[in-house]
Amino acid sequence: MERIALEKKVLSANDQVAAALRARFAEYGTLVLNFISSPGSGKTALLERTLERLPRHFRAAVVTGDIQTDNDARRLVRYGFPVRQITTAGACHLDARMVERALEEWDVDPLDLLIIENVGNLVCPTSYDLGEACKVVLLSVTEGEDKPLKYPGAFVRSRLLILNKVDLLPYVPFDVGLAKANARAIHPDMEILETSCTTGAGLDKWLAWLTMQLRLHPAAVTA
Amino acid sequence: MERIALEKKVLSANDQVAAALRARFAEYGTLVLNFISSPGSGKTALLERTLERLPRHFRAAVVTGDIQTDNDARRLVRYGFPVRQITTAGACHLDARMVERALEEWDVDPLDLLIIENVGNLVCPTSYDLGEACKVVLLSVTEGEDKPLKYPGAFVRSRLLILNKVDLLPYVPFDVGLAKANARAIHPDMEILETSCTTGAGLDKWLAWLTMQLRLHPAAVTA
C-alpha cells in the first residue's frame, strides 16, 4: 500500500511538470507525439523513415529515451533535424522532468513537431504524461495479436496504433484482423495504421496522418 | 532522491522474501528459472515446446505473470503440468511476494523444476529477485542486435541468452555474431543458444542445457 501511495505521489508530481510542458507546447504551437512500444518494435526505424520524408524547412525535433547508449540519437541525427538523447541510467520510462531538462539545455523553440521516442517498454512509459498531444503505440507483427489484451494501458492511452513490420506477415503467425479487434476491444476509437520500414508500405498513410494532426493542432503554424 | 530511497526499500523487502523462497527451493531441490524478455519474444512458445518434451513423470510446474489475461496459463496447461497465472493488475514485473502467494495457494511441492515466466518487459523484472537459481533472457532476432547494450541489466543478470525466432533471420537485418558480441561485451561469460519454436531448431540444445542445470543443481533429484 505504501508503494502505491508513493507511486501516486510521483505521478502527481509528474503531472504538474507535464501540465507546464503542455502549456509551453501550446504557446509555441508545437505538436508533441509520445511514441511507446516494446524494445525492437521499430520506433527508431519509423522515425528515420519519417525524418527523411519531412521537408527540410520543417521545424521538427526528436527526443529519444534509452536506458543506456546514444545509438538512437546517432541514427536519427543524420536526417538533419535536432535530436537529443535522454539516457535514463536505469529508469524504465521517460518522465516529464527528463523532457523538461532536455528542452532547457537545448534552444529548439519554436517547433512545429516534437517527437518523443520513449524507452522500449510497453508497460511503464504508459503511466507518465510528458505533456504530449497524444501517445502513439507501435506493435510489431512478430509480437503476437494478444498484446493489446495483455498490455491494455498502452493501447487505452494511445490515439494511434501502428502495426509495424508488416513485411514479415508471410513468415509469422499473426492475424491482422484479430490484432485490430483486440486493440478496439480495449480502445474502440483507436486509429490503426499498418507500416513496414523495410518495404515502405504504409508510410504515405502514416505521413498523411501526421500531416492531419499538424493541421488539426490548435496552434499549428501554417506553411 | 526520495523515489530512489523508496525503490531501495521495496527491493530490500523483496530480497528478504526471495531469500526465504530460495531456501525453500533448496530444501526441496527445486531448480527455479526466471524467464525475462520483451513482450512477444516467444517466452510462452518456448515453454510450450519445453513442456511437450518433458517426460510425463517429471515434476515440473510453471508460474506465468501478465498484467492482464490468463492467455498464457491457458496455452501452457494443455501439456499436463501444473500452471498458475499471476495477473499483476498493472505492475510491470513479478515480485517475490507474488510468487510466494501463488505457491502458498497451490500445493505443488516437491518439484524438480519451476519455471517462472515473468511479465513481458526487458527492464523492470530484472531488478526483482524471485528466489530463482538463475535468470534466462530471451531476445527475438526481430528486435535488433543492439538490445544487450541498450538494456544491459537483463543481460548482466541472466546466465543464459536465448536468441529466439532464428527462422526469421533470412527476413530481418540481424547480425547474430554482432548480437552475441554485444551480449558478451555486457556479460563475458554469458551462455548463448539459438532457437526457433516454429522449426524446432536449437530446441535439443536448449533441453540439453536444461537437463545439465537439473544435474548440476545441488539437491537435484536423480531419476
Side-chain angles (χ1 to χ4, degrees):
Chain A
M1 287 310 290
E2 185 191 346
R3 196 162 163 220
I4 291 170
L6 191 98
E7 211 159 71
K8 278 191 182 151
K9 207 169 140 193
V10 169
L11 283 172
S12 137
N14 184 76
D15 282 348
Q16 289 173 25
V17 181
L21 283 173
R22 187 168 283 111
R24 174 175 163 188
F25 296 141
E27 186 188 337
Y28 287 112
T30 307
L31 173 70
V32 183
L33 302 180
N34 178 1
F35 273 63
I36 293 178
S37 81
S38 304
S41 300
K43 293 183 296 303
T44 312
L46 182 67
L47 295 187
E48 288 183 283
R49 299 290 79 78
T50 305
L51 296 180
E52 77 185 4
R53 280 165 171 78
L54 290 181
R56 281 291 160 273
H57 68 272
F58 195 77
R59 293 175 301 182
V62 177
V63 170
T64 180
D66 270 301
I67 293 175
Q68 291 293 347
T69 84
D70 61 352
N71 290 2
D72 288 355
R74 283 190 285 117
R75 282 171 62 183
L76 292 168
V77 81
R78 294 178 293 169
Y79 300 92
F81 295 96
V83 176
R84 173 62 64 106
Q85 179 83 46
I86 299 176
T87 307
T88 67
C92 52
H93 59 271
L94 293 179
D95 64 34
R97 208 172 294 279
M98 294 177 197
V99 174
E100 182 185 52
R101 224 175 292 130
L103 296 176
E104 259 168 25
E105 299 165 1
W106 193 35
D107 187 23
V108 287
D109 290 320
L111 289 169
D112 298 325
L113 173 66
L114 174 66
I115 296 183
I116 302 172
E117 181 187 1
N118 222 308
V119 175
N121 181 333
L122 202 48
V123 189
C124 314
T126 306
S127 304
Y128 289 81
D129 183 5
L130 305 181
E132 70 272 358
C134 69
K135 293 180 173 66
V136 173
V137 60
L138 267 77
L139 178 65
S140 154
V141 302
T142 62
E143 293 174 52
E145 315 89 348
D146 59 344
K147 295 303 168 289
L149 305 180
K150 291 171 86 173
Y151 302 86
F155 294 83
V156 166
R157 297 192 184 112
S158 295
R159 185 179 302 165
L160 173 68
L161 162 61
I162 297 182
L163 285 175
N164 194 29
K165 306 196 191 185
V166 293
D167 55 293
L168 296 177
L169 280 173
Y171 315 113
V172 295
F174 187 90
D175 179 335
V176 171
L178 179 57
K180 289 180 176 179
N182 286 341
R184 292 199 170 115
I186 295 296
H187 182 168
D189 299 329
M190 186 153 230
E191 298 175 63
I192 305 180
L193 294 173
E194 301 173 30
T195 56
S196 164
C197 296
T198 305
T199 64
L203 292 179
D204 285 350
K205 282 189 183 161
W206 152 244
L207 265 291
W209 185 92
L210 183 58
T211 306
M212 183 62 78
Q213 300 307 310
L214 286 161
R215 289 222 183 100
L216 292 174
H217 197 62
V221 179
T222 49
Chain B
M1 288 310 290
E2 185 189 349
R3 196 161 163 219
I4 291 170
L6 190 100
E7 211 159 71
K8 277 192 181 149
K9 206 168 141 193
V10 169
L11 283 172
S12 137
N14 184 77
D15 282 347
Q16 288 173 26
V17 181
L21 283 173
R22 186 168 283 112
R24 174 176 165 188
F25 296 142
E27 187 188 339
Y28 288 113
T30 307
L31 174 70
V32 183
L33 302 180
N34 178 1
F35 274 62
I36 292 177
S37 81
S38 303
S41 300
K43 292 185 296 304
T44 312
L46 183 68
L47 295 186
E48 288 183 283
R49 300 290 79 78
T50 305
L51 296 179
E52 76 184 5
R53 281 165 171 78
L54 290 181
R56 281 292 160 275
H57 67 272
F58 194 77
R59 293 175 303 181
V62 178
V63 170
T64 180
D66 271 302
I67 293 175
Q68 290 293 346
T69 85
D70 60 353
N71 290 3
D72 288 355
R74 284 190 284 115
R75 281 172 63 183
L76 292 169
V77 80
R78 296 178 292 168
Y79 300 91
F81 295 96
V83 176
R84 174 61 65 104
Q85 178 84 45
I86 300 176
T87 307
T88 66
C92 52
H93 59 271
L94 293 179
D95 64 35
R97 211 173 289 280
M98 295 179 196
V99 174
E100 182 186 52
R101 224 177 290 130
L103 295 176
E104 259 169 25
E105 298 164 359
W106 193 34
D107 187 22
V108 288
D109 289 319
L111 289 169
D112 298 326
L113 174 66
L114 175 66
I115 296 183
I116 302 173
E117 181 187 0
N118 223 308
V119 175
N121 181 332
L122 201 49
V123 189
C124 315
T126 307
S127 303
Y128 289 81
D129 183 6
L130 306 180
E132 71 272 358
C134 69
K135 293 180 172 67
V136 173
V137 61
L138 267 77
L139 178 66
S140 154
V141 302
T142 62
E143 294 173 50
E145 315 90 350
D146 58 345
K147 295 304 169 288
L149 305 179
K150 290 171 87 173
Y151 303 85
F155 294 83
V156 165
R157 296 190 184 113
S158 296
R159 185 179 303 166
L160 174 68
L161 162 61
I162 297 182
L163 285 175
N164 195 28
K165 308 197 188 181
V166 292
D167 55 293
L168 295 177
L169 280 173
Y171 315 113
V172 294
F174 186 89
D175 179 335
V176 171
L178 180 58
K180 290 180 175 179
N182 286 342
R184 291 200 170 116
I186 295 297
H187 181 169
D189 298 330
M190 187 154 229
E191 298 176 65
I192 305 179
L193 293 174
E194 300 173 32
T195 56
S196 163
C197 296
T198 306
T199 65
L203 292 179
D204 286 350
K205 282 189 184 162
W206 152 243
L207 265 292
W209 185 91
L210 182 58
T211 305
M212 184 61 79
Q213 301 306 310
L214 285 160
R215 290 222 181 100
L216 291 175
H217 197 59
V221 179
T222 49

